[in-house]
């Protein structure tokens, strides 16, 4: 392997009103790519995260809300984290990781080695696109360890603040998929603006935006939730830009990509 800087390009989010740009990073030839993968594997093995508030997919979401009994004053909202990876507090996350390893009684020598890996991984945040582009804040986008390190920070924040916020705002349901949060709360006791303020206060860089139900309908992940008097009915949500096309069987794509495309549709139907 000939190491090289990660490459970056931008794709326009045509389904967004402001048509913002999504960065797409290829870091397979980056110096720390394999180290980043090894770091992720080691943390999963030595200090697995509790995932107390996480959902894995839409099936998990449906199970989460299946038996939720709604009252007339309960409201549904979704919160999204703005630019998650570039706004993770890297030094604070290292302290959280240190405490996590100590709690799991990992030997000091192993702790030091893992923390050195962490320093190397978070320092390789530069990309090529005609010229060298430096990312000065947050996690290096595209690295295999990004998701795990972000989860370490987010789950620590949740365990620190969510119990208090749930009591304060009379929250009856809270779950999160990566950077999207789903909430059911008592609208007679609080408001969306108060919830948003309390979610944005703990860390000035980690900011949330809110999406509320319209005509008793809220879209979250790949599900449209229809709010009835006491229950939530669901249906499949398709973005306005959805084309209903998949990879042709006769294309030169790898077979596993074709199988995944069909499997994805089957899983959606099963959900």
């Amino acid at each position: 392997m000939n190491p090289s800087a990660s490459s970056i390009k931008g794709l326009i989010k045509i389904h967004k009103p402001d048509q913002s740009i999504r960065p797409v990073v290829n870091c397979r030839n980056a110096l720390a790519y394999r180290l980043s993968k090894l770091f992720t594997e080691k943390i999963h093995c030595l200090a697995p995260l509790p995932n107390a508030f996480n959902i894995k997919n839409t099936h998990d979401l449906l199970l989460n809300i299946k038996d939720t009994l709604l009252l007339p004053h309960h409201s549904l909202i979704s919160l999204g984290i703005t630019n998650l990876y570039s706004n993770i507090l890297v030094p604070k996350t290292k302290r959280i990781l240190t405490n996590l390893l100590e709690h799991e009684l990992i030997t000091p020598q192993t702790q030091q080695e893992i923390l050195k890996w962490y320093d190397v991984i978070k320092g390789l945040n530069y990309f090529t696109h005609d010229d060298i582009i430096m990312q000065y804040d947050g996690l290096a986008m595209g690295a295999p360890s990004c998701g795990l390190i972000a989860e370490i920070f987010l789950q620590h924040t949740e365990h620190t603040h969510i119990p208090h916020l749930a009591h304060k705002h009379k929250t009856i349901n809270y779950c999160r998929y990566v950077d999207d949060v789903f909430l059911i709360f008592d609208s007679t006791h609080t408001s969306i603006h108060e919830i948003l303020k309390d979610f944005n206060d703990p860390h000035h860089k980690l900011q949330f935006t809110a999406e509320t139900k319209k005509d008793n309908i809220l879209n979250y992940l790949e599900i449209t939730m229809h709010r009835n008097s006491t229950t939530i009915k669901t249906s499949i949500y398709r973005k306005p830009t959805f084309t209903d096309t998949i990879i042709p069987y006769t294309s030169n794509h790898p077979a596993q990509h074709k199988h995944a495309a069909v499997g994805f549709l089957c899983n959606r139907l099963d959900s």
Side-chain angles (χ1 to χ4, degrees), residues 55-64 221 223 267 270-271:
I55 52 175
K56 296 179 181 178
N57 46 40
T58 52
H59 183 68
D60 259 9
L61 173 65
L62 294 174
L63 292 176
N64 186 281
L221 299 185
I223 296 295
N267 287 336
D270 185 51
S271 297

Side-chain angles (χ1 to χ4, degrees), residues 247-255 258:
I247 300 172
Y249 181 75
T250 55
S251 74
N252 288 325
H253 283 77
K258 301 172 187 176

Side-chain angles (χ1 to χ4, degrees), residues 244-267:
D244 198 23
T245 58
I246 62 174
I247 300 172
Y249 181 75
T250 55
S251 74
N252 288 325
H253 283 77
Q256 60 265 34
H257 291 184
K258 301 172 187 176
H259 297 159
V262 176
F264 161 75
L265 295 176
C266 292
N267 287 336

Side-chain angles (χ1 to χ4, degrees), residues 92-156:
K92 182 176 177 65
T93 306
K94 184 178 180 180
R95 294 194 294 271
I96 296 169
L97 175 60
T98 302
N99 293 335
L100 183 63
L101 294 172
E102 290 177 351
H103 181 265
E104 295 294 334
L105 303 179
I106 306 302
T107 63
Q109 182 178 354
T110 304
Q111 287 185 42
Q112 290 178 9
E113 187 172 354
I114 289 176
L115 293 174
K116 285 180 180 177
W117 293 358
Y118 179 89
D119 289 334
V120 172
I121 292 166
K122 60 95 173 174
L124 293 174
N125 50 355
Y126 52 89
F127 316 95
T128 58
H129 182 76
D130 297 332
D131 200 355
I132 297 294
I133 300 172
M134 295 296 299
Q135 179 188 333
Y136 293 101
D137 296 317
L139 302 173
M141 295 180 294
S145 57
C146 260
L148 174 65
I149 295 174
E151 277 298 323
I152 291 172
F153 178 76
L154 289 175
Q155 291 195 30
H156 175 267

